[in-house]
Amino acid sequence: RPILDMSYSRHFLDFQGSSIPSSMKKLVVTKLSQNFREAVTLQQDSPVPLPGDGDLLVRNRFVGINASDINYSAGRYDTSVKPPFDIGFEGVGDVVALGLSASADYTVGQAVAYVKAGSFAEYTVVPAKHAVPLPSVKPEFLTFMVSGATAYISLKELGELSEGKKVLVTAAAGGTGQFAVQLAKKAKCHVIGTCSSDEKGGFLKSIGCDHTINYKTENVESVLRKDYPEGVDVVYESVGGKMFDLALNSLATKGRLIVIGFIAGYQNPTGLPSIKAELLPAKLLKKSASIRGFFLNHYLSEYKMALKHLLKMYERGDLVCEVDFGDMSPEGKFTGLESVFRAVDYMYMGKNIGKIVVELPHSVNSKL
């Protein structure tokens, strides 16, 4: 690995213990499929990438699992990209090498977080301008990168939250739902959260949710009709299918439904859950209601502001960032890249409370 000007070598590699190997493990999409285990292969001996002039080489310590990992492995986001390609959206780790320009703002050993395709790997090259410097390597910081930012920006830009508004959050105990609940409470709204267990309901109450509905044991539609006859003002919706129909029917006059996903359909061949959309125009017209879609990539101009705000709230103790390492899953904690497959299954079984995170232990066996 030649370094042209040795006087700058300290910028590129840390010779005091980072022990960068020449090869690494990573997950690669080798076949397009909504079945994550069919689509993705664990490669054992991929070369560790070299950072360019404006790049950081990050040794990943924690990586985040997202429902849309399945959409990515199915090739739904960019149909022009053909396998093989890297997967994983977000990571937290240490800078172990960097290019000369990047060394103006970063140093070896610094903790960073990032959002970039290819985080399901032991090492990822990240452009320095897209990295977020952190005070330390903590899995809680990972919860902000996609999940927290999605909740913050979508509610701020599309939710029009104000005191006393009734906000329904579906999948409220999940990675992004936990933030939607807390941010709506900070805006002095009345928050209703749907979830799939009493344990999740208890977690939701602990973060301020006013009314929890266990959809496994309660009829969500009749509970909403009985307790909120005038309807709800805002829905933060990530489930799709029957839950979308139900949320739409529960909107108040001038209500707003924000679609941030539809996990119920991601494992289908089309990626879409079936909904009863034929009456949609009439339903919206009757209530002067609206449906707004939200995709984080379209709001990147707001991203750094959102992260700054979330980090400040967390540092002040105003935000709970629940992380689920899968300790309660049958095979135990999600450790190592091979456990990403289990972690994705765990998410689709609806088991998680908070953000699912996989820890990547650092091995110092092979040296560069």
Side-chain angles (χ1 to χ4, degrees):
R1 297 182 162 224
I3 293 167
L4 297 180
D5 184 343
M6 287 308 291
S7 64
Y8 290 119
S9 63
R10 65 190 179 82
H11 291 305
F12 289 87
L13 299 175
D14 172 17
F15 294 109
Q16 289 129 36
S18 69
S19 311
I20 305 170
S22 54
S23 65
M24 66 172 186
K25 293 179 185 175
K26 71 173 180 176
L27 294 187
V28 178
V29 176
T30 49
K31 171 191 171 186
L32 296 183
S33 171
Q34 76 281 356
N35 181 325
F36 192 82
R37 287 178 181 270
E38 272 183 20
V40 179
T41 304
L42 174 63
Q43 295 191 348
Q44 300 281 352
D45 292 309
S46 296
V48 172
L50 270 175
D53 180 57
D55 295 332
L56 311 173
L57 179 65
V58 177
R59 183 179 69 220
N60 293 314
R61 298 266 298 281
F62 300 102
V63 293
I65 304 295
N66 292 282
S68 43
D69 289 326
I70 280 186
N71 287 332
Y72 204 64
S73 71
R76 290 178 184 138
Y77 286 154
D78 186 348
T79 49
S80 67
V81 178
K82 303 290 178 238
F85 55 85
D86 298 346
I87 191 166
F89 291 129
E90 54 187 344
V92 165
D94 313 286
V95 175
V96 291
L98 66 170
L100 186 58
S101 296
S103 70
D105 298 305
Y106 289 91
T107 57
V108 162
Q110 187 159 2
V112 294
Y114 64 88
V115 174
K116 179 184 179 281
S119 71
F120 291 164
E122 291 178 317
Y123 294 83
T124 303
V125 167
V126 178
K129 63 183 180 184
H130 294 151
V132 179
L134 298 173
S136 61
V137 173
K138 282 173 74 172
E140 284 78 7
F141 293 127
L142 198 52
T143 65
F144 301 138
M145 302 307 293
V146 172
S147 303
T150 294
Y152 182 86
I153 300 170
S154 64
L155 288 173
K156 179 175 174 286
E157 297 293 315
L158 310 177
E160 297 171 39
L161 301 185
S162 59
E163 187 171 352
K165 295 285 185 195
K166 293 184 279 293
V167 178
L168 171 65
V169 180
T170 63
T176 188
Q178 64 171 331
F179 290 107
V181 167
Q182 293 177 82
L183 294 168
K185 280 307 294 176
K186 297 279 181 246
K188 298 183 176 172
C189 297
H190 175 91
V191 183
I192 309 129
T194 69
C195 61
S196 60
S197 72
D198 291 341
E199 188 192 357
K200 290 184 180 187
F203 165 68
L204 289 173
K205 285 186 177 127
S206 78
I207 59 171
C209 194
D210 297 290
H211 188 164
T212 62
I213 307 173
N214 180 344
Y215 64 81
K216 292 279 178 77
T217 58
E218 299 176 82
N219 183 307
V220 182
E221 193 157 19
S222 53
V223 170
L224 288 173
R225 201 180 300 123
K226 174 177 163 287
D227 294 346
Y228 305 95
E230 301 295 311
V232 295
D233 302 296
V234 179
V235 182
Y236 183 86
E237 216 294 275
S238 60
V239 177
K242 288 176 182 168
M243 189 63 82
F244 172 89
D245 290 329
L246 188 156
L248 177 68
N249 292 337
S250 303
L251 281 177
T253 301
K254 298 186 183 175
R256 297 170 293 289
L257 194 158
I258 304 170
V259 177
I260 64 117
F262 33 90
I263 190 172
Y266 293 170
Q267 290 178 302
N268 299 344
T270 61
L272 295 166
S274 60
I275 58 168
K276 296 174 182 168
E278 298 90 346
L279 300 173
L280 188 61
K283 285 179 180 178
L284 295 178
L285 182 65
K286 189 178 169 188
K287 295 178 174 176
S288 292
S290 61
I291 298 174
R292 303 288 299 271
F294 178 88
F295 186 48
L296 186 58
N297 290 12
H298 298 148
Y299 287 85
L300 294 181
S301 58
E302 306 292 313
Y303 186 73
K304 289 222 160 158
M305 172 276 299
L307 279 191
K308 206 169 163 185
H309 194 88
L310 290 165
L311 279 163
K312 269 190 190 158
M313 287 177 75
Y314 176 64
E315 282 161 10
R316 287 198 308 262
D318 287 345
L319 209 53
V320 172
C321 306
E322 189 69 19
V323 171
D324 192 333
F325 279 116
D327 297 284
M328 306 307 289
S329 66
E331 292 170 62
K333 186 176 176 179
F334 302 134
T335 306
L337 285 171
E338 47 284 342
S339 70
V340 166
F341 298 96
R342 282 200 300 120
V344 169
D345 290 343
Y346 183 73
M347 168 173 277
Y348 277 87
M349 286 187 287
K351 300 290 188 189
N352 60 299
I353 295 181
K355 176 83 181 178
I356 301 177
V357 173
V358 174
E359 183 172 5
L360 305 187
H362 172 44
S363 107
V364 288
N365 301 335
S366 52
K367 297 217 172 197
L368 187 71

